[in-house]
Amino acid sequence: MRVGVILAAAGRGERMGHRIPKQFLELAGVPVYLHSLRVFEDHPRVEEIVLAVPPGWETRVLAQVRDLGLFKVKEVVCGGDTRQASVERALRALSAGIDTVLVHDAARPLISRELVSRVLQALERYGAVLCAVPVRDTVKLVREGRVERTVPREGLWLAQTPQGARREWLEEAYRLAGQRMFTDEAALLEAAGFEVRVVRGENTNLKITYPEDFRMAEIYLRLDKPGKV
Ligand code: CTP
Ligand code: MG
């Protein structure tokens, strides 16, 4: 496998409600996106990385990664209006030799090297992989403040990233998707008829969405790396 990583960092962070997109806010002294970027840079099986960033951020981000000596970053591309569009643009920027693609949300700074290894190991066997965790709470379908019903939790998992696939599968899935929108690559692959395998994610691999997630991420980082923060 020749592995390329797409770091999706082109969102606006509307639910976070900050002037600066959340992936560029400082978390434990380092911009959010750099936490996961470093894990990929340091992972021996990752060959190159392409970042998708919001319009206007390309030069700044490229300068920052070059300054830090993150040499696997091949290109910083301008993302699109949706995550799907951002990833599609980044996909085009990967070198021709890359045959396996991992996609990761820059808003998930807490991934571990072990999780990346697990996803890659599964990818080697199966062509499309997603990491996810089982739903722990009881799930309710709620409309206008009223419980419509309780959804059986059995078999429900929460999708995380990294997700990945053989490059040709992913490209085929994008071609077939056309104008239809999907919230993650796995959904795109499923719709294209590919079987997507699940590996165990990590409950600490949260996606920073709201301000309280940001604080939670900071706490996890302090607990894990007391010397660094
Ligand atoms: N993303 C992206 N391009 C977009 C939208 C999202 O690359 N047009 C990225 C985000 O930067 C993030 C990941 O996809 O790393 C998951 O998206 P989400 O958590 O929804 O982030 P935002 O879209 O930025 O947040 P919000 O939906 O609250 O605006
Ligand atoms: Mg979004």
Side-chain angles (χ1 to χ4, degrees), residues 188-226:
L188 210 88
L189 287 153
E190 292 151 34
F194 294 107
E195 187 178 77
V196 182
R197 287 281 175 153
V198 177
V199 302
R200 188 83 182 202
E202 294 169 350
N203 283 312
T204 48
N205 181 22
L206 57 85
K207 180 161 70 76
I208 295 178
T209 307
Y210 298 101
E212 63 263 35
D213 305 318
F214 198 87
R215 288 194 290 275
M216 192 58 87
E218 205 144 38
I219 291 168
Y220 280 137
L221 279 168
R222 280 184 211 283
L223 288 176
D224 261 348
K225 303 175 188 164

Side-chain angles (χ1 to χ4, degrees), residues 21-66:
K22 59 194 181 187
Q23 61 275 29
F24 302 121
L25 295 174
E26 291 219 343
L27 174 68
V30 179
V32 167
Y33 82 96
L34 279 176
H35 286 273
S36 57
L37 184 53
R38 262 190 212 287
V39 175
F40 292 117
E41 174 80 24
D42 294 343
H43 199 290
R45 303 214 51 188
V46 172
E47 198 170 312
E48 76 178 32
I49 304 166
V50 172
L51 270 83
V53 299
W57 284 83
E58 302 91 324
T59 318
R60 242 180 298 182
V61 171
L62 187 63
Q64 186 160 43
V65 302
R66 291 285 176 262

